């Protein structure tokens, strides 16, 4: 079922509640620059096993509204809260990939994990996507600057290049085209504003506020959110489960989809 939920005046967020009567609800949060279709190969398996899967397009992406503002992590976390309340979600698993993984961590602090019983972070951009004076494990700032400049210069070309480093294993040409089209469904300004947020957002303190069962999945060949970020998340979240993916890059949900789906179902129960 399709929903458009108003999170503030004039801004609606799209949610696809694929199996409303299913068990163990999972709210899937996609990363930049995609949309909820990113998890197609999870839906394929989970729906057959009776899970309730909810795919949310974050603001500026997919079928959600695309305002010129509101792309910092606090506002993104507030959007999740509005969706959770509107959908009356409770005792659900929150799954965040990449930037959405970072936003999920912020949600746990800012909204005290409202409604969430389990958290899954996959290739998450926490505690910092880029290098900091006290954290040398992220990307250098120029890598993000190049993405921003590339968006302004030739967004399709930038997205194509990003797609080439997203997966560790070679994908087919039709698959690469499908991935590119997801990115093109976003607004150019939202594509830039999220990238700019990477330069300022940090979650070193937020990690300590995660106090529910947490599964961390991270590809060792990740060239976007480097593997050391997953290690830092595991160190910062007490009692978390950390599963490295030895044959995966940033798109571990496709690079090793069978392992990913198995780990997710084992964890959610």
């Amino acid at each position: 079922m399709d929903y458009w939920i108003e999170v503030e005046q004039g801004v609606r967020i799209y949610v696809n509640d694929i199996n409303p009567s299913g068990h163990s609800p999972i709210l899937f949060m996609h990363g930049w620059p995609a949309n909820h279709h990113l998890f197609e190969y999870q839906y394929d398996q989970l729906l057959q096993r009776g899970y309730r899967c909810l795919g949310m397009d974050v603001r500026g992406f997919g079928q959600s509204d695309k305002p010129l503002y509101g792309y910092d992590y606090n506002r993104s976390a507030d959007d999740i809260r509005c969706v959770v309340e509107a959908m009356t979600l409770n005792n659900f698993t929150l799954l965040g990939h990449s930037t959405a993984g970072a936003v999920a961590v912020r949600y746990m602090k800012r909204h005290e994990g409202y409604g969430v019983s389990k958290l899954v972070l996959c290739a998450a951009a926490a505690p910092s996507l880029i290098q900091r004076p006290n954290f040398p494990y992220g990307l250098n700032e120029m890598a993000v600057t190049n993405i921003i400049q590339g968006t302004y210069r030739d967004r399709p070309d930038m997205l194509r290049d990003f797609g080439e480093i997203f997966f560790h294993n070679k994908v087919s040409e039709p698959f690469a085209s499908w991935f590119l089209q997801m990115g093109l469904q976003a607004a150019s300004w939202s594509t830039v504003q999220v990238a700019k947020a990477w330069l300022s957002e940090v979650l070193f303190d937020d990690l300590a506020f995660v106090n529910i069962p947490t599964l961390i999945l991270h590809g060792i060949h990740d060239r976007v959110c480097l593997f050391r970020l997953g290690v830092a998340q595991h160190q910062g979240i007490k009692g978390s489960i950390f599963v490295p993916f030895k044959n995966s890059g940033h798109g571990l949900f496709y690079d090793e989809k069978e392992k990913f789906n198995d780990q997710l179902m084992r964890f959610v129960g």
Side-chain angles (χ1 to χ4, degrees):
M1 298 180 66
D2 296 323
Y3 296 90
W4 279 266
I5 296 166
E6 189 169 64
V7 296
E8 58 179 319
Q9 186 173 5
V11 180
R12 301 174 307 156
I13 296 297
Y14 172 79
V15 180
N16 186 8
D17 191 354
I18 306 173
N19 183 23
S21 62
H23 64 83
S24 308
I26 306 170
L27 178 59
F28 288 85
M29 304 290 301
H30 67 86
W32 179 100
N35 57 50
H36 76 280
H37 290 293
L38 194 69
F39 300 106
E40 175 177 326
Y41 296 92
Q42 282 60 64
Y43 303 149
D44 285 346
Q45 296 300 314
L46 271 64
L47 294 173
Q48 293 182 43
R49 291 165 172 78
Y51 288 87
R52 181 185 181 187
C53 299
L54 301 100
M56 171 178 160
D57 287 347
V58 304
R59 75 164 60 200
F61 297 80
Q63 298 182 60
S64 288
D65 287 342
K66 300 171 176 63
L68 295 176
Y69 58 88
Y71 296 99
D72 61 282
Y73 288 3
N74 284 346
R75 179 63 253 183
S76 297
D78 294 349
D79 287 351
I80 296 175
R81 176 65 181 260
C82 292
V83 167
V84 169
E85 290 184 343
M87 302 288 294
T88 61
L89 293 176
N90 188 40
N91 196 32
F92 71 96
T93 297
L94 178 61
L95 183 151
H97 173 257
S98 194
T99 302
V103 171
V105 171
R106 177 61 51 82
Y107 180 82
M108 296 305 299
K109 177 183 179 182
R110 185 171 173 84
H111 294 286
E112 299 178 339
Y114 180 81
V116 182
S117 60
K118 294 181 179 181
L119 178 66
V120 180
L121 303 176
C122 45
S128 172
L129 179 70
I130 67 169
Q131 298 171 6
R132 308 286 177 185
N134 62 336
F135 188 73
Y137 305 111
L139 299 176
N140 62 62
E141 187 173 326
M142 183 56 67
V144 175
T145 301
N146 288 340
I147 285 174
I148 295 170
Q149 293 175 345
T151 303
Y152 287 136
R153 181 180 62 253
D154 185 337
R155 187 162 66 105
D157 186 63
M158 180 279 295
L159 290 171
R160 184 199 61 188
D161 289 347
F162 184 73
E164 290 179 354
I165 68 168
F166 197 93
F167 301 99
H168 176 60
N169 301 310
K170 183 176 176 58
V171 299
S172 68
E173 286 295 330
F175 187 97
S177 177
W178 171 75
F179 184 77
L180 172 63
Q181 291 305 314
M182 277 195 286
L184 289 173
Q185 288 178 34
S188 59
W189 53 88
S190 55
T191 302
V192 166
Q193 289 302 317
V194 171
K196 287 182 176 179
W198 297 334
L199 299 174
S200 58
E201 295 280 7
V202 293
L203 300 107
F204 296 100
D205 295 334
D206 300 62
L207 292 174
F209 286 83
V210 180
N211 55 8
I212 59 173
T214 300
L215 175 65
I216 300 168
L217 309 174
H218 217 109
I220 66 172
H221 302 288
D222 197 326
R223 298 165 63 186
V224 180
C225 295
L226 305 185
F227 180 71
R228 189 60 180 76
L229 271 64
V231 176
Q233 294 159 31
H234 181 46
Q235 293 172 341
I237 300 175
K238 186 176 180 180
S240 59
I241 301 168
F242 183 38
V243 182
F245 278 58
K246 297 181 179 180
N247 195 34
S248 289
H250 196 52
L252 68 168
F253 48 83
Y254 186 74
D255 277 329
E256 294 183 78
K257 57 180 176 288
E258 291 81 8
K259 178 179 178 178
F260 186 98
N261 294 343
D262 181 66
Q263 290 290 335
L264 177 58
M265 287 186 286
R266 286 172 181 266
F267 179 69
V268 173

